[in-house]
């Protein structure tokens, strides 16, 4: 039976989709069968970020209206045998979505997968309620700024009201220099505000933008810091108690000439 985990934040731009995709690749690399669900009907980003947009034939509306089966919606990843995407559908809206159908769909998927990650839309309105209504476990993605933490704090309260009681925090786009120089809040600040377990720190990496443009998730680069970060996140989600990944400081002349 799959663990169903919603990836959310409340604030847009913190990197929910990046986290969702890299979690999918990290778990799949260990042999788990993983399904990623893009629940952002307005933007529909995951297929593009994974380089799968040309493989999408059917969407959720086709399944709801009986034009295809659930298995026909699922798009198999090019690089990982056990990773699948259920793409979003721009012609659906959260006001008209049939939650009974979505709940029954999740129950069917749970029999076929080990992990199901739901990429939640930004904000705390209909889309958030829809995505969180499908899970009992959540990853709250934050950046270390006041707006992100304020919105995340509200999200934590709403999740608890919806009986999503297994909560985890990932600090994304972490910049060590900004923290040590006082230009951003600290991880301690985040923990004191949200009071939920920290399962991962993902360092800021400009290569992520290029990887999205190419449809080539950065986790696939085994030498990248992102790869190391998500490998440890996976192990913590599976119950291991391990240290967080530390960024190795480059030598002074490396920083000047690179």
């Amino acid at each position: 039976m799959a663990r169903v985990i919603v990836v959310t934040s409340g604030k847009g731009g913190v990197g929910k989709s990046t986290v969702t995709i890299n979690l999918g690749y990290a778990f799949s690399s260990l042999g788990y069968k993983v399904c990623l669900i893009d629940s952002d009907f307005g933007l529909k980003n995951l297929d593009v970020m994974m380089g799968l947009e040309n493989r999408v034939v059917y969407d959720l509306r086709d399944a709801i209206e009986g034009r295809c089966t659930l298995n026909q919606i699922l798009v198999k990843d090019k690089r990982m045998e056990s990773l699948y995407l259920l793409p979003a559908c721009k012609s659906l809206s959260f006001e008209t979505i049939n939650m009974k159908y979505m709940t029954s769909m999740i129950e069917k998927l749970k029999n076929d997968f080990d992990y199901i990650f739901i990429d939640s839309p930004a904000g705390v309105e209909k889309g958030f309620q829809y995505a969180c209504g499908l899970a009992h476990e959540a990853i709250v993605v934050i950046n270390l700024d006041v707006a992100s933490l304020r919105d995340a704090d509200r999200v934590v309260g709403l999740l608890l009201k919806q009986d999503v009681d297994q909560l985890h925090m990932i600090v994304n786009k972490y910049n060590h220099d900004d923290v040590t120089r006082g230009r951003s809040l600290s991880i301690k600040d985040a923990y004191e505000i949200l009071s939920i377990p920290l399962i991962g720190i993902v360092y800021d990496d400009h290569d992520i933008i290029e990887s999205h443009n190419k449809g080539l998730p950065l986790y696939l680069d085994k030498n990248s810091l992102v790869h190391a970060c998500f490998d440890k996140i996976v192990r913590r989600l599976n119950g291991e108690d391990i240290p967080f990944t530390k960024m190795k400081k480059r030598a002074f002349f490396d920083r000047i000439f690179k």
Side-chain angles (χ1 to χ4, degrees), residues 15-251:
K16 291 186 305 295
S17 296
T18 298
V19 167
T20 302
I21 289 171
N22 285 290
L23 280 172
Y25 280 96
F27 274 103
S28 295
S29 70
L30 296 177
Y32 293 103
K33 192 174 182 183
V34 182
C35 179
L36 307 182
I37 299 179
D38 189 346
S39 67
D40 196 336
F41 297 155
L43 296 178
K44 193 177 178 292
N45 281 331
L46 292 194
D47 56 340
V48 176
M49 294 166 70
M50 296 171 71
L52 298 176
E53 66 272 26
N54 293 328
R55 292 195 174 191
V56 177
V57 177
Y58 297 106
D59 59 34
L60 202 52
R61 181 181 286 277
D62 292 316
I64 292 172
E65 297 179 356
R67 288 187 290 272
C68 70
T69 66
L70 178 57
N71 285 337
Q72 286 177 306
I73 308 174
L74 296 172
V75 181
K76 189 174 183 179
D77 187 70
K78 299 175 183 178
R79 308 165 190 99
M80 291 285 184
E81 286 290 320
S82 59
L83 179 60
Y84 292 78
L85 170 68
L86 198 160
C89 174
K90 286 187 176 181
S91 61
L92 285 175
S93 69
F94 297 114
E95 286 72 20
T96 60
I97 193 72
N98 186 327
M99 280 302 293
K100 287 185 177 179
Y101 174 87
M102 295 304 298
T103 302
S104 66
M105 181 193 78
I106 291 291
E107 289 302 314
K108 290 177 184 176
L109 291 173
K110 283 167 70 174
N111 293 321
D112 293 330
F113 290 91
D114 300 305
Y115 283 89
I116 298 171
F117 290 99
I118 303 170
D119 185 22
S120 171
V124 292
E125 305 305 328
K126 290 282 187 180
F128 168 82
Q129 295 167 18
Y130 150 77
C132 296
L134 301 173
H136 292 289
E137 190 171 354
I139 292 172
V140 180
V141 182
I142 64 162
N143 301 151
L144 292 176
D145 62 77
V146 172
S148 174
L149 290 174
R150 180 197 63 198
D151 290 350
D153 191 33
R154 185 181 178 199
V155 160
V156 168
L158 292 172
L159 287 167
L160 293 172
K161 284 183 179 179
Q162 291 194 208
D163 295 323
V164 183
D165 52 9
Q166 296 183 59
L167 304 180
H168 318 279
M169 173 171 55
I170 289 180
V171 177
N172 194 35
K173 303 180 184 178
Y174 179 83
N175 186 305
H176 183 70
D177 286 342
D178 284 349
V179 173
T180 55
R181 295 177 184 179
R183 292 193 295 241
S184 76
L185 299 179
S186 68
I187 290 175
K188 182 181 178 183
D189 294 327
Y191 183 76
E192 288 178 350
I193 291 169
L194 302 182
S195 298
I196 59 176
L198 175 69
I199 60 158
I201 301 168
V202 182
Y203 288 86
D204 196 14
D205 192 329
H206 293 296
D207 289 340
I208 286 178
I209 297 173
E210 183 180 0
S211 74
H212 290 337
N213 291 338
K214 292 180 177 179
L216 193 67
L218 196 54
Y219 178 82
L220 296 172
D221 179 359
K222 293 184 178 181
N223 296 317
S224 71
L225 191 58
V226 166
H227 182 99
C229 291
F230 279 95
D231 268 354
K232 290 199 172 184
I233 291 171
V234 164
R235 291 170 64 184
R236 286 192 202 92
L237 275 173
N238 279 339
E240 292 187 49
D241 183 11
I242 56 173
F244 291 94
T245 301
K246 291 185 178 180
M247 176 183 281
K248 294 180 180 178
K249 290 188 176 181
R250 290 184 293 170

